[in-house]
Amino acid sequence: MQEPQPPTPAVSVPARGPTPWERRGELGLVSGFWQTFRDSLFQPHLFWPSLDPKGNLIDALLYGWLNTVLYSGPGLLFGYVSLKLQLPTMSKSFNDLNSPAARQVLDWVQDHAGLFMVVMMLASLTLYPLGQIITAGLLHLFCLITGCAKNGFNATFRVVAYTQGTRLLEWIPCLGSIVALYQLWLIALGLSKSQDSTIGRAVAAVLLPVALIFVCGCGCAALAFVAGVAGAAK
Amino acid sequence: MKWIREQPNRRFGLLDALGVTGWVGLLVARFVPIARLPFWGCVLRQRTGWPCLGCGLTRVADHVSHFHFAAAWEANPFGTVAAIGFALLAIYTVLHLGFRITAPRVELGDREAWALRVVVVLAVTSNYAYLVIKAKFPQLLG
């Protein structure tokens, strides 16, 4: 006769509620930020199911904005050094474009690398809310197309905002692309949990706009130029 | 399909986000000569003569922001519809956030949502077919 098996522990499904950042009043600003940063990036299987899809948009926006602010310091420093080192190589590649206007832009960036980096950082800091709104709005359109929008725009906005912790890892040399891909994965995972949908629909919602950019000639060209300059700046 | 009347509010939603996108896109198109930027241009069309899926969208944004709707339609019909949609949402956002005027919320059933997705895909495909014919076989358009 088989011995009775010990009962398997029930899988604990975290209850939805405010994030540690949203409880910063009781936890403290630093503790609330750190716990949210740690959980969203390194314990996503616990963080995303517990994210309240109907929670506050402003708190989520502020969290993302704070990450951008904290990134700006090391990002500016490492970006400037990287830009100075990589611009000569980029300059050779852009020579093949045979475009005097592109050449002019690159020469200006080369001569004013510091100013360019400061302007990029200031633009990134001040325009972050606009970027966040536009990104969430357009992403939610694709969520509607793929059927991953059960809990509405609020949920999508909060998912995008709470993945901004990856910004603090972007400045690490050679890790930028990996971190960007990880952020896409986190957004897909977050959407699947917050919108009570499947991971397949969420991944489709995230990848569809990326695919559309790649089938658009101007989008590809713009992306290549921006990636080239931004890659040098990282 | 259900049309649900919303109470007056200033709750920021998807339509407002798209309206903000519309404002940014159309203001940039209105005042920034995007097409003259050094890296702008369709490499696919330049090398192969075949238009890409988004062919003409820059011109659409430029024309719509200058109220040249016929020229925008000529450049990319579906893109023109989308651009006008974004422009209308931009106006809605001002009315909603400034004066608490709300649009009714539309709830589609599963079959209606599926049908709408099919319509969107067909519209994008037909639009691309029109762009290809215009670029490669203009004699078919008369």
Side-chain angles (χ1 to χ4, degrees):
Chain A
M1 187 171 132
Q2 254 187 334
E3 279 186 16
Q5 300 290 325
T8 49
V11 174
S12 64
V13 177
R16 279 174 168 167
T19 62
W21 169 251
E22 288 159 17
R23 292 185 290 119
R24 58 191 182 278
E26 57 185 89
L27 295 174
L29 181 68
V30 173
S31 184
F33 176 82
W34 167 248
Q35 287 182 37
T36 305
F37 173 81
R38 179 198 65 199
D39 294 348
S40 62
L41 294 194
F42 305 114
Q43 292 181 328
H45 55 289
L46 293 176
F47 180 81
W48 295 114
S50 71
L51 184 74
D52 182 2
K54 300 203 185 313
N56 195 312
L57 290 185
I58 302 292
D59 275 331
L61 180 73
L62 287 175
Y63 173 79
W65 209 349
L66 182 56
N67 278 283
T68 304
V69 169
L70 293 174
Y71 162 77
S72 62
L76 185 64
L77 181 64
F78 283 91
Y80 175 76
V81 171
S82 184
L83 192 66
K84 290 298 267 184
L85 289 174
Q86 295 192 34
L87 265 175
T89 314
M90 269 189 64
S91 188
K92 264 180 163 177
S93 313
F94 271 80
N95 274 335
D96 296 336
L97 276 182
N98 201 25
S99 163
R103 180 77 249 159
Q104 245 182 329
V105 169
L106 209 60
D107 286 343
W108 187 90
V109 171
Q110 205 158 4
D111 296 337
H112 303 87
L115 177 63
F116 176 75
M117 285 307 304
V118 169
V119 167
M120 291 277 281
M121 279 299 158
L122 287 175
S124 156
L125 287 173
T126 49
L127 296 177
Y128 170 78
L130 212 54
Q132 164 74 17
I133 288 168
I134 292 171
T135 302
L138 293 176
L139 178 61
H140 195 69
L141 268 185
F142 288 98
C143 288
L144 287 169
I145 291 169
T146 59
C148 179
K150 184 181 165 199
N151 292 322
F153 170 73
N154 222 62
T156 303
F157 187 97
R158 284 166 62 73
V159 165
V160 174
Y162 279 114
T163 59
Q164 295 303 309
T166 52
R167 296 229 71 191
L168 294 185
L169 306 178
E170 274 179 18
W171 61 270
I172 301 172
C174 306
L175 276 191
S177 309
I178 298 170
V179 170
L181 287 172
Y182 184 57
Q183 185 183 17
L184 287 180
W185 166 246
L186 287 179
I187 292 174
L189 186 62
L191 284 176
S192 71
K193 300 299 180 193
S194 299
Q195 299 284 10
D196 295 328
S197 180
T198 63
I199 191 67
R201 287 180 190 265
V203 167
V206 169
L207 290 185
L208 210 49
V210 175
L212 283 178
I213 287 174
F214 278 105
V215 297
C216 169
C218 295
C220 279
L223 203 63
F225 185 85
V226 170
V229 174
K234 282 186 182 171
Chain B
M1 187 188 300
K2 274 193 258 179
W3 292 76
I4 299 163
R5 196 186 157 86
E6 296 268 6
Q7 293 295 320
N9 66 69
R10 286 197 177 98
R11 210 175 313 120
F12 197 90
L14 174 65
L15 296 184
D16 303 299
L18 296 179
V20 168
T21 307
W23 273 112
V24 171
L26 291 170
L27 283 174
V28 167
R30 179 70 179 82
F31 297 108
V32 177
I34 300 271
R36 288 205 286 266
L37 288 173
F39 51 78
W40 205 259
C42 188
V43 177
L44 182 71
R45 197 177 58 213
Q46 285 163 12
R47 297 284 167 100
T48 68
W50 285 86
C52 68
L53 203 65
C55 193
L57 289 182
T58 311
R59 282 171 283 151
V60 164
D62 188 25
H63 288 313
V64 168
S65 66
H66 288 85
F67 305 103
H68 303 149
F69 297 110
W73 181 265
E74 184 62 34
N76 189 313
F78 188 70
T80 305
V81 171
I84 292 172
F86 275 107
L88 291 173
L89 286 172
I91 297 169
Y92 166 77
T93 299
V94 172
L95 293 173
H96 177 217
L97 299 181
F99 304 100
R100 301 172 72 211
I101 293 169
T102 55
R105 198 173 77 238
V106 180
E107 280 185 8
L108 300 176
D110 286 344
R111 287 182 70 159
E112 287 158 340
W114 175 249
L116 184 60
R117 285 189 195 107
V118 169
V119 164
V120 168
V121 170
L122 282 177
V124 170
T125 312
S126 313
N127 187 69
Y128 184 58
Y130 168 75
L131 294 177
V132 168
I133 291 171
K134 199 167 79 136
K136 300 295 283 182
F137 314 104
Q139 65 276 13
L140 294 176
L141 294 174

